[in-house]
Amino acid sequence: MQLYGYWRSSAAYRVRIALNLKQLSYDNLPVHLIKNGGEQHSDRYKLLNPAELVPTLIDDGLTLNQSLAIIEYLDEVYPEPSLLPQEPAARALVRALALDIACDIHPLNNLRVLQYLTGPLAINEAQKLQWITHWLSTGFAGLERRLQDTAGQFSVGDEITLADLCLVPQVYNAQRFALDMSAYPTISSVHHHCQQLAAFALAAPEQQPDAQ
């Protein structure tokens, strides 16, 4: 199994957590998103992932992109431990929380968006930080309210789910940009419980071979 990713990529971070939880061995193949104009734009990588994004997973001849699709594939092919509840309503709730983060919070602060803001749109660094913190705080405000109804130790009750695999990388991003987390005690509590587990700690960006 091969995982093409970047140490600071939130999406690759999610997949690393899933692989660790399921105790699956894989080759970690770095794709530097900044060096040489961004290695994700190389002809070689575009053959694997025409979207020019990370992560990309290769397993037994299958090539997959999109972190949530990859994680659900892993969950079906390597079902222990399960990352989605069996009961349909709980399963849908976990997916909704994961999508709140992966589709509505994360993309607005993704590298290519920030590069477009500071490149063609020519905003300055202070304005970029204002953009980042605005969308993080807006997204976290809604997520905090949702988790107040669903969380135990983790995002939905006391079992790790797909929602937690999305939450932890997003909190990492928030901390990186010095977002005040005091307004989000439930998010912070779930993040704390996740960080006590080796599968999450070993997936952290600074633990990756390409970390700089």
Side-chain angles (χ1 to χ4, degrees):
M1 195 180 298
Q2 298 173 313
L3 178 67
Y4 289 83
Y6 177 63
W7 67 289
R8 265 187 176 161
S9 162
S10 298
Y13 191 172
R14 297 167 197 153
V15 177
R16 292 195 301 264
I17 298 169
L19 290 164
N20 290 347
L21 286 168
K22 293 177 180 294
Q23 298 183 27
L24 296 171
S25 298
Y26 65 98
D27 294 328
N28 191 335
L29 303 176
V31 179
H32 203 290
L33 301 186
I34 299 174
K35 283 184 180 178
N36 304 315
E39 294 175 353
Q40 71 276 24
H41 304 308
S42 69
D43 291 340
R44 177 177 173 272
Y45 187 71
K46 282 192 286 187
L47 290 174
L48 291 175
N49 189 336
E52 302 175 40
L53 296 168
V54 294
T56 301
L57 182 83
I58 299 177
D59 183 34
D60 195 24
L62 174 68
T63 301
L64 279 177
N65 68 316
Q66 287 294 347
S67 62
L68 298 193
I70 291 170
I71 294 169
E72 291 214 33
Y73 163 79
L74 294 172
D75 210 39
E76 292 175 4
V77 177
Y78 308 97
E80 295 298 331
S82 177
L83 298 175
L84 285 166
Q86 293 303 308
E87 197 274 319
R91 198 175 184 90
L93 177 59
V94 166
R95 283 192 173 116
L97 290 168
L99 291 168
D100 278 339
I101 299 168
C103 294
D104 292 337
I105 301 175
H106 169 244
L108 288 165
N109 291 324
N110 202 12
L111 176 63
R112 64 177 179 173
V113 171
L114 300 181
Q115 288 176 331
Y116 187 72
L117 289 173
T118 56
L121 298 186
I123 73 169
N124 61 39
E125 287 298 312
Q127 291 171 318
K128 183 181 81 170
L129 183 60
Q130 184 178 2
W131 168 281
I132 292 168
T133 55
H134 170 78
W135 291 116
L136 280 171
S137 59
T138 299
F140 274 17
L143 183 64
E144 174 72 18
R145 289 193 296 271
R146 287 182 181 274
L147 292 182
Q148 287 171 359
D149 294 330
T150 65
Q153 288 189 64
F154 301 107
S155 296
V156 179
D158 295 323
E159 299 292 333
I160 296 167
T161 66
L162 175 61
D164 303 302
L165 276 60
C166 293
L167 181 143
V168 167
Q170 198 59 58
V171 172
Y172 173 86
N173 284 343
Q175 293 172 334
R176 178 183 166 206
F177 291 108
L179 183 73
D180 181 3
M181 293 296 296
S182 63
Y184 318 110
T186 314
I187 293 174
S188 297
S189 175
V190 171
H191 178 261
H192 171 76
H193 282 105
C194 289
Q195 292 293 72
Q196 306 313 301
L197 303 176
F200 285 82
L202 292 173
E206 288 74 18
Q207 299 301 315
Q208 305 318 301
D210 56 323
Q212 298 178 10

